[in-house]
Amino acid sequence: MTHRTLVRALLTSAVLAAGVMLAGCDSDQISLAQNAKANQPVPPKLVAAMTEKDMDMQSPILVRLFKQEAELEVWKQNRSGQFALLKTYPICRWSGDLGPKVREGDRQAPEGFYSINPSQMNPQSAYYLSFNTGYPNAFDKALGRTGSQLMVHGDCSSRGCYAMTDEQIAEIYSLGRESFFGGQKAFQLQAYPFRMTPVNMAKHRNNPNMPFWKMIKEGYDHFEVTKQEPRVDFCEKKYVFDAVKAPGATRDPVFDASAKCPAYVIPEEIASAVHEKEQKDAAETAKLVSKGTPVARLNTGIDGGMNAIFASKIPEGNTGLSEGGDSQALASMSLARAPGTIPGTVNPPKPNLAVQQEEPVVATTSSTTSSAGTRVASANASDKSASDKSTSDKSTSDKSEGFFSSFARKVGIGGTADASKTTAPPAPASAAPAKPKVAEAKPQSVVRVAPKAEPKQAAKPAPKPAVTTAAAAAPAPSSSTQLAGSAPVVQTNSFDTRFSAVK
């Protein structure tokens, strides 16, 4: 009896020990899908798309993000071993400006190459589901950049993150979960300011972040020509892609983001293909610049962007720094179905109405181009801006002259007011031609005060020319150049205060 009891105890201990070992092996899988939200199956439509594109459910994935286009791409490895685009998701909200994150609290969504492992997946997120981007990486740390908890998550609200709808993040999370279940140790996240095309490189050629963007474009090009996840290393405070040991070396190179680069080479077939693409892109970019492609303006006080499909569903919605923000584009999307539920608390980017929003993408010969060739105003945007200024200043003028004087003028008995209107033009005549010249030299600074200038001169001719001259001259000393990584200018009402966590 005693012997039988001992045997049973030993068997029980062995079973428990095996269970602990199995639990240890599957701990990542358990943490990935520990609740109903995190355990949602991949939607049937995506499964059908995988079958059509010769992909396995649990094959590796790769994610690319683009701020200006407000899009997130999920790529998946097919049975040939190459990555192919599975689905593109419109981004509901991102914050900050085009450019990398530099410091804690600057509201910038990060840019660069990051690695996402199972421990960075958060099934218990306060924003439905999420995964941590892994910012800062070794390159960011080498430059002394700070920040934490920069996520891709749901709830369509951002203070330095890339925010999707809950339905979107559920799909993206399920794809990441299945790739980990299939054996992928980590998937790569590539975050860019925009698609690295010649047109965009030409538009942003004077941006102080351009050296950084050219550096990460190398990784973009490596992926474009190989359709393989590029290997990412860091040395001498720069990115290195697809490096392997040099001929004759006995071991792989060891990289340190802050140290001197070790001896390495890039495989010839990759190096030659990338070089050919870079030369072609550079030639096309130079051609666009020579044709006068206007330079995109820097941050004009707008915090981040939003895909047009979401902006079209929100009262007074605006895409901010993302593309497709004109009224016609939003109107054309108003009947399209939104990819997920937009929460009632969402705040779209707040446009600075004093600055024209349209930015031509192609070359133009308009005479409104400044002497530096940096900005060209859209005719439609100018007409709309003039109309908005006229409406706004008319109401201001009516209020300033008082009820009785306004009433008398409207019924035709205000002779004094009429006389002042007829004598007004000579006074501001000398100031009116000067304003376009100032706007060409300092478009951002002067445009901020321009909407209030002209109509007020018409309402009260005597004092207004002097005020207008002072207002136009005041911003002149300021510079429109923004330092790389500087904190973006944020409007006080651009976000609701419920998101108090600084990221």
Side-chain angles (χ1 to χ4, degrees), residues 352-416:
N352 187 338
L353 298 179
V355 181
Q356 297 172 355
Q357 299 298 313
E358 294 299 316
E359 296 180 7
V361 177
V362 297
T364 179
T365 57
S366 171
S367 60
T368 58
T369 306
S370 67
S371 59
T374 57
R375 291 169 178 83
V376 178
S378 167
N380 291 337
S382 298
D383 294 341
K384 182 179 184 301
S385 177
S387 174
D388 292 344
K389 289 188 291 182
S390 176
T391 302
S392 174
D393 292 331
K394 181 179 183 301
S395 61
T396 304
S397 176
D398 289 344
K399 290 179 182 179
S400 64
E401 63 181 343
F403 172 78
F404 290 103
S405 59
S406 175
F407 176 78
R409 177 177 55 78
K410 291 178 180 178
V411 300
I413 60 175
T416 303

Side-chain angles (χ1 to χ4, degrees), residues 68 97-98 203-208 213 294-302 320-321 352 354-360 374-378 381-382 443-445 447-448 480-482:
Q68 183 172 280
D97 197 0
L98 302 182
K203 284 178 59 179
H204 297 278
R205 61 189 178 273
N206 287 352
N207 192 295
W213 291 340
V295 176
R297 62 174 63 93
L298 298 180
N299 190 317
T300 54
I302 302 172
L321 298 179
N352 187 338
V355 181
Q356 297 172 355
Q357 299 298 313
E358 294 299 316
E359 296 180 7
T374 57
R375 291 169 178 83
V376 178
S378 167
S382 298
Q444 291 188 22
S445 300
V447 174
R448 294 179 187 277
S480 61
T481 302
Q482 178 178 332

